Amino acid sequence: MDLSIIDQLLKLLEIPFSSILMIEISIIFLLLYIFLVYNEKRESKKVKVFLSAIIIFFISALIFYFSDDVEFVLTEIIKTIMNCFYFPNIIFYFSTVIISLIMIIYTMLSSKLTKFNKIITYTFTLLHLFLFTNFITYAIINKTNLTNTANIYQNDNMYIIVFFSQILFFIIIIYKAIYHFCYIRKEKLKNINESDIMFRK
Amino acid sequence: MQRKNRNLKSQLFKVGFFFLIIGLLIFFSPTLIKIKEEVFEEMRLAIFQMNINKDNTTINDVNTENLVITNEETQILKEEPKQEKKTTYSYIGELNIPAIRLKRGFVSKESKYNDINYNITIANEADYPDVPAGNFILMAHSGNAYISFFDKLYKLQIGDQASVSYNANTYNYHLVKVYNQPKTGKVTIYRNSYVKTLTLITCTHEDDYNQTIYIFEEI
């Protein structure tokens, strides 16, 4: 931790040669890299499939070898996501509010979005902001310390406000993701069709 | 024709993706429910810990300069209204077994949530951890359900440590004995009656007809 940046870089170069297993892993990764780069010139579909299979096999082997740790890590990731949803701390909650604000401003200024999309965005984001103002007002009235997450959720009213604003926020995010996913694909298809027509002409 | 095919492919891709997500959610729903329970449990424990810290601060902040000494009778009279039956979900203590990453709270014996379907349950015959040479008995399910709080107890080995936080004190124990008994609705506990004990009872791992008893003694 207290090493200088040059020492850290030297250590980093030494680590792959510290044991035979580490050297083997380094060679595998180097070969994979060379194959991937070389295949960019050849563009062989067979090699792509073969390399994908090798990468999946290699990752699966690692997961199988460290199954307990992988399970623990995955559980912790899901736990963190659930914690962000059910019991977000004030920083996360405040970040969602900032995202909502940006969304409103972007929707107001954008001319690409449909009216329906704009109405949906306004409805959900304004409701989200309304609940946030309720949350802040409630905290001020009850003199709640917002820095302690447990202190917030001890109060049922505050928990309900945060829970419903999280639901609204996640709905709008999912809606936006699906909308853009469909919109981009639609635009792509449109472009392909237009280029087809041009080609035929 | 080509355009129609592409649109159909695109629609199929969306529908397929949607069903894939739904299928994955259904497949992993028991695990997700269990993790959700853990998340809620951690928050309850955080609230419990916070209240303990608050109580400790209150005790430390007592101003002794203007303290009025009262006799025992008046104290008893003042304390009487507090003895109401608790029906809230607030924890009175916490069981912690680091070896299997188990951390879970328990409610008082009188609480309606002192039930095997909600929490780790304190047996009616149990003494609380602050009783000298007492036996604190806890029970819970094991298996795959989200209420299977003792599902990893079978991984414990003799010597593994456990701790119980109760009344702002922590009691440390180590595992001394593990034995099985048939499930007959009754349990016989073999323990050293001169030592403070923690007893954990759950169903035997992958066995429908037996129950396992884990005896911990105070360190």
Side-chain angles (χ1 to χ4, degrees):
Chain A
M1 251 164 77
D2 302 322
L3 294 171
S4 68
I5 189 75
I6 294 161
D7 289 336
Q8 283 180 19
L9 282 169
L10 286 171
K11 282 269 173 201
L12 188 71
L13 290 171
E14 276 174 23
I15 289 165
F17 305 102
S18 57
S19 72
I20 293 169
L21 183 67
M22 297 285 258
I23 293 167
E24 280 175 10
I25 290 170
S26 310
I27 291 167
I28 290 169
F29 270 89
L30 192 70
L31 282 174
L32 270 175
Y33 175 75
I34 292 165
F35 269 122
L36 283 170
V37 173
Y38 184 66
N39 194 47
E40 279 305 302
K41 279 184 184 175
R42 284 193 61 183
E43 288 189 349
S44 162
K45 224 177 181 182
K46 277 180 189 171
V47 175
K48 275 180 189 173
V49 173
F50 180 68
L51 282 178
S52 306
I54 280 185
I55 291 167
I56 291 168
F57 172 76
F58 192 64
I59 300 292
S60 308
L62 279 176
I63 289 172
F64 183 74
Y65 192 72
F66 299 104
S67 56
D68 281 351
D69 296 314
V70 170
E71 191 193 329
F72 174 71
V73 169
L74 284 176
T75 310
E76 286 303 308
I77 290 169
I78 297 168
K79 245 187 197 178
T80 311
I81 294 167
M82 282 195 176
N83 248 323
C84 288
F85 181 75
Y86 289 109
F87 306 109
N89 58 23
I90 192 66
I91 299 163
F92 185 84
Y93 189 37
F94 200 71
S95 309
T96 62
V97 170
I98 291 169
I99 293 168
S100 269
L101 274 170
I102 293 167
M103 260 192 230
I104 285 190
I105 295 165
Y106 175 77
T107 312
M108 276 194 297
L109 300 175
S110 173
S111 54
K112 280 182 184 176
L113 300 170
T114 59
K115 275 187 181 173
F116 177 75
N117 188 354
K118 281 189 174 185
I119 290 165
I120 293 277
T121 314
Y122 289 146
T123 313
F124 281 95
T125 46
L126 279 176
L127 270 172
H128 184 230
L129 292 175
F130 170 71
L131 286 177
F132 176 71
T133 46
N134 278 0
F135 172 81
I136 293 292
T137 316
Y138 200 88
I140 292 166
I141 292 167
N142 291 293
K143 291 175 185 168
T144 311
N145 177 13
L146 296 178
T147 50
N148 188 342
T149 313
N151 203 18
I152 300 171
Y153 299 109
Q154 199 180 18
N155 189 319
D156 280 344
N157 293 343
M158 293 189 92
Y159 169 71
I160 289 164
I161 292 172
V162 175
F163 180 64
F164 280 99
S165 45
Q166 287 298 88
I167 288 177
L168 287 172
F169 181 73
F170 276 85
I171 286 174
I172 189 72
I173 291 292
I174 290 166
Y175 170 75
K176 285 276 172 191
I178 291 170
Y179 178 83
H180 280 276
F181 176 68
C182 297
Y183 183 76
I184 289 162
R185 283 190 70 81
K186 211 176 170 183
E187 284 292 299
K188 263 189 183 174
L189 281 172
K190 216 175 164 183
N191 290 339
I192 290 164
N193 288 329
E194 274 169 10
S195 60
D196 272 2
I197 293 160
M198 289 287 284
F199 182 73
R200 276 176 199 166
K201 273 181 182 177
Chain B
M1 190 66 184
Q2 263 188 337
R3 193 180 170 178
K4 262 189 181 179
N5 273 341
R6 273 177 192 143
N7 271 334
L8 188 71
K9 259 189 180 178
S10 160
Q11 295 294 332
L12 276 174
F13 179 77
K14 280 176 205 167
V15 173
F17 186 73
F18 175 75
F19 278 108
L20 180 77
I21 297 289
I22 297 289
L24 282 173
L25 281 175
I26 291 169
F27 185 74
F28 288 110
S29 58
T31 317
L32 292 174
I33 290 169
K34 204 171 180 181
I35 295 172
K36 185 195 154 194
E37 272 301 307
E38 279 179 28
V39 167
F40 274 78
E41 177 60 23
E42 278 172 10
M43 183 47 67
R44 283 191 205 110
L45 284 175
I47 292 169
F48 164 71
Q49 289 290 352
M50 189 189 68
N51 288 333
I52 282 180
N53 292 341
K54 260 186 197 171
D55 290 346
N56 285 346
T57 319
T58 319
I59 292 162
N60 292 334
D61 288 348
V62 170
N63 187 357
T64 49
E65 280 176 17
N66 302 318
L67 194 71
V68 180
I69 299 164
T70 51
N71 61 36
E72 278 182 18
E73 278 178 28
T74 44
Q75 269 186 331
I76 291 162
L77 280 171
K78 276 179 184 174
E79 280 171 6
E80 266 179 357
K82 283 182 183 174
Q83 291 173 345
E84 287 168 6
K85 223 180 181 185
K86 282 183 184 175
T87 51
T88 54
Y89 209 135
S90 52
Y91 288 137
I92 59 160
E94 177 191 319
L95 170 70
N96 187 10
I97 308 178
I100 51 168
R101 291 186 192 126
L102 174 71
K103 210 174 188 186
R104 199 152 178 106
F106 49 85
V107 293
S108 70
K109 276 192 216 175
E110 292 78 26
S111 169
K112 70 171 180 180
Y113 293 108
N114 186 40
D115 187 300
I116 206 150
N117 292 321
Y118 291 105
N119 274 308
I120 287 177
T121 310
I122 307 173
N124 286 330
E125 298 76 14
D127 306 304
Y128 280 113
D130 54 354
V131 175
N135 185 17
F136 186 48
I137 308 167
L138 294 172
M139 307 175 291
H141 283 299
S142 61
N144 296 321
Y146 70 91
I147 50 167
S148 307
F149 308 121
F150 283 170
D151 60 337
K152 286 175 187 161
L153 280 193
Y154 72 95
K155 291 183 180 175
L156 285 177
Q157 289 175 341
I158 300 294
D160 280 346
Q161 295 198 356
S163 65
V164 175
S165 301
Y166 176 71
N167 266 352
N169 285 318
T170 305
Y171 302 91
N172 293 308
Y173 303 85
H174 68 286
L175 185 62
V176 290
K177 201 191 295 175
V178 180
Y179 59 92
N180 291 353
Q181 277 191 350
K183 270 189 203 171
T184 55
K186 286 181 181 176
V187 183
T188 314
I189 295 167
Y190 302 105
R191 72 172 190 111
N192 182 352
S193 55
Y194 299 106
V195 182
K196 193 182 280 183
T197 318
L198 165 71
T199 305
L200 306 180
I201 304 168
T202 192
C203 302
T204 307
H205 184 57
E206 292 178 346
D207 184 345
D208 293 337
Y209 306 102
N210 286 305
Q211 54 195 344
T212 308
I213 296 102
Y214 299 81
I215 307 286
F216 291 78
E217 285 181 357
E218 195 177 30
I219 302 168

